[in-house]
Amino acid sequence: MSDRLLRVGNGWRIGWNPNAEIYKGLVGGEDWAIELTEDELNDFCCLLEQLTQMMTCMADELMDEEKIACEAESDRLWMEVEGYPHAYSLRLILNQGRCCEGYWSAEAVAELVRAARTLKGF
């Protein structure tokens, strides 16, 4: 039996394969994907949760039509959310080794956040 897990939704995907040698994680959009090391995936999930919490906390501070951008980063990656507290896009840039960038639309982020929380118990 395989421990591999892939969750897919409209405009997003996230995966975990504990048996992979180097790249145990995967994040992607509709037509792109980036393999991540376990540490990169851990950082992705933790930073995504931090950014989600920031946006939730900012909801009471902003007027309805006001947009905001928040950033979070680790040694391995940088992430940014931008939009309204209830609907925002997400950008990802890897900082080490191979360089790549990913983007999810506001329509995809809420489901991606829910999937990331269940991926490895975050």
Side-chain angles (χ1 to χ4, degrees):
M1 175 150 166
S2 174
D3 295 325
R4 289 166 53 161
L5 179 63
L6 180 64
R7 299 194 190 279
V8 179
N10 187 17
W12 64 271
R13 52 190 156 152
I14 187 167
W16 169 246
N17 180 1
N19 302 317
E21 194 169 321
I22 297 173
Y23 299 109
K24 297 176 184 261
L26 176 115
V27 295
E30 192 80 23
D31 54 2
W32 63 271
I34 302 168
E35 290 184 317
L36 301 176
T37 65
E38 183 172 4
D39 289 339
E40 290 168 343
L41 182 65
N42 289 341
D43 285 3
F44 175 84
C45 291
C46 290
L47 293 175
L48 180 58
E49 187 62 31
Q50 285 178 18
L51 290 166
T52 300
Q53 295 300 322
M54 279 190 235
M55 291 301 271
T56 300
C57 290
M58 293 304 298
D60 293 337
E61 307 294 323
L62 302 173
M63 293 194 282
D64 290 343
E65 67 279 357
E66 211 172 352
K67 288 184 176 182
I68 188 169
C70 296
E71 299 177 9
E73 68 181 304
S74 71
D75 292 343
R76 297 172 192 88
L77 48 98
W78 173 90
M79 294 170 62
E80 176 188 58
V81 291
E82 184 176 8
Y84 303 101
H86 63 279
Y88 46 88
S89 61
L90 171 66
R91 280 188 36 201
L92 160 72
I93 297 176
L94 292 184
N95 290 337
Q96 288 187 336
R98 67 216 188 282
C99 295
C100 38
E101 184 173 343
Y103 174 85
W104 294 268
S105 68
E107 294 78 29
V109 171
E111 285 185 29
L112 176 63
V113 168
R114 284 192 292 278
R117 287 176 177 158
T118 65
L119 191 64
K120 289 178 54 186
F122 291 98

